[in-house]
Amino acid sequence: MSAVWYCTRQRAGPLVKECRALRPRFSPLDDQYTRSEKADFKRRYRSAVCQTPVDRLELRLGLFGFEGTHYELSFDDEHLPRTFKGVRRVLSNLLKRCKRWRNGRPFDYVYAIEYGTQHCRYHVHLVLRDSEFSPAEVRYLWRQGDVQDFPVLLKHGGYRRLAKYFNKEPSDGYFLPVGRHKWSCSRTLTAKLPEPETWEDSSGVIRYPRHTLWASSLDGPQNFNNEFGSYYYYSWIEPKKNGALYLE
């Protein structure tokens, strides 16, 4: 009887994340050590497609495809809030203004509030879809200070680069409250995320396209083998249907 590999594939726009695991089975003959090791393997190597906040945000950024822009919104001295709640209030007003600008139509967004320790100032990171807002429109709608814009998808790091950046800021209990979410996104964006594909296979080989815009295993070693089981993971970004996209 051939081994059964449990496979999971998650798509989010052009981003594809896939893992395959040969998971151990418990036996009445297992001693305490063996049973503990098998349980630890199953716990640690369930799936890599969506385990951490970085994984979850990476998938949502992937839903922007090739038209996501990352805006850094800064405050001038006149409009700089003193508290985290003050920044949330300003951001809430901005999102309402954006919706009015679109005549009440919903739109996709991701945001994160950061407190820069170097300059001791709050600022906001916002991701929007190019077909819904242009950089000129964002500059018009943000009335609190300066706006800088950057592409979400770069050649090095894929969507994961920005997902890691949004999750880097630790909560200090004062400027950034403990327990608050490091980022948030619109319901319209989450609703676009398809359910993961799951199936069983006789092979642990992950086959991905020869030509990709970006391909990687996750941070740290993701291919793992021991006497109890095996685990493999890979992710990649497929090019546009009409040809590869040039990225900086």
Side-chain angles (χ1 to χ4, degrees), residues 186-241:
S186 61
R187 293 180 180 178
T188 58
L189 185 65
T190 298
K192 291 180 172 69
L193 188 66
E195 290 294 321
E197 308 164 39
T198 58
W199 72 98
E200 296 178 1
D201 205 324
S202 59
S203 170
V205 177
I206 298 176
R207 296 177 175 85
Y208 56 93
R210 181 179 178 183
H211 298 291
T212 61
L213 294 178
W214 174 85
S216 176
S217 63
L218 275 174
D219 314 311
Q222 287 299 315
N223 295 339
F224 181 81
N225 294 277
N226 66 11
E227 59 183 307
F228 304 112
S230 300
Y231 175 88
Y232 299 102
Y233 166 88
Y234 217 72
S235 65
W236 61 92
I237 296 174
E238 297 176 340
K240 283 185 175 180
K241 299 294 184 183

Side-chain angles (χ1 to χ4, degrees), residues 56-64 110 183 185 189-190 193:
R56 291 192 287 274
L57 181 52
E58 181 187 21
L59 289 171
R60 282 153 180 80
L61 292 174
L63 293 171
F64 284 93
V110 173
W183 55 271
C185 69
L189 185 65
T190 298
L193 188 66

Side-chain angles (χ1 to χ4, degrees), residues 37-227:
E37 287 296 304
K38 287 182 177 180
D40 183 63
F41 185 98
K42 287 191 171 186
R43 177 183 60 82
R44 293 178 60 188
Y45 299 103
R46 296 191 310 274
S47 167
V49 297
C50 193
Q51 280 192 357
T52 68
V54 173
D55 292 327
R56 291 192 287 274
L57 181 52
E58 181 187 21
L59 289 171
R60 282 153 180 80
L61 292 174
L63 293 171
F64 284 93
F66 303 106
E67 56 170 359
T69 295
H70 166 211
Y71 295 95
E72 186 174 309
L73 312 176
S74 61
F75 294 93
D76 55 30
D77 293 338
E78 180 183 355
H79 297 95
L80 180 63
R82 297 190 178 190
T83 65
F84 181 81
K85 287 184 178 179
V87 182
R88 288 287 300 270
R89 187 162 51 249
V90 171
L91 180 56
S92 177
N93 289 337
L94 171 65
L95 295 176
K96 291 175 183 177
R97 198 154 53 243
C98 288
K99 190 171 183 179
R100 288 197 300 270
W101 182 259
R102 286 178 49 80
N103 298 317
R105 289 175 295 162
F107 60 95
D108 296 334
Y109 64 80
V110 173
Y111 72 77
I113 297 173
E114 188 175 6
Y115 184 80
T117 54
Q118 182 178 358
H119 301 290
C120 299
R121 300 175 74 94
Y122 285 107
H123 57 276
V124 175
H125 296 279
L126 181 65
V127 175
L128 295 171
R129 192 180 299 280
D130 294 342
S131 59
E132 295 175 333
F133 292 95
S134 69
E137 288 174 308
V138 175
R139 284 178 168 81
Y140 174 77
L141 293 166
W142 176 252
R143 302 166 184 176
Q144 314 294 318
D146 293 331
V147 176
Q148 291 183 288
D149 61 273
F150 314 91
V152 168
L153 183 57
L154 298 178
K155 185 176 182 179
H156 301 289
Y159 300 106
R160 196 167 185 81
R161 172 196 60 84
L162 190 58
K164 290 171 64 177
Y165 182 82
F166 275 24
N167 282 278
K168 72 177 176 61
E169 192 76 6
S171 299
D172 59 11
Y174 183 73
F175 294 108
L176 299 174
V178 174
R180 64 103 186 179
H181 296 294
K182 296 190 184 330
W183 55 271
S184 187
C185 69
S186 61
R187 293 180 180 178
T188 58
L189 185 65
T190 298
K192 291 180 172 69
L193 188 66
E195 290 294 321
E197 308 164 39
T198 58
W199 72 98
E200 296 178 1
D201 205 324
S202 59
S203 170
V205 177
I206 298 176
R207 296 177 175 85
Y208 56 93
R210 181 179 178 183
H211 298 291
T212 61
L213 294 178
W214 174 85
S216 176
S217 63
L218 275 174
D219 314 311
Q222 287 299 315
N223 295 339
F224 181 81
N225 294 277
N226 66 11
E227 59 183 307

Side-chain angles (χ1 to χ4, degrees), residues 19-34:
C19 66
R20 298 188 176 214
L22 185 61
R23 305 182 67 187
R25 295 184 177 182
F26 293 111
S27 167
L29 302 178
D30 291 341
D31 56 30
Q32 184 176 354
Y33 168 79
T34 301

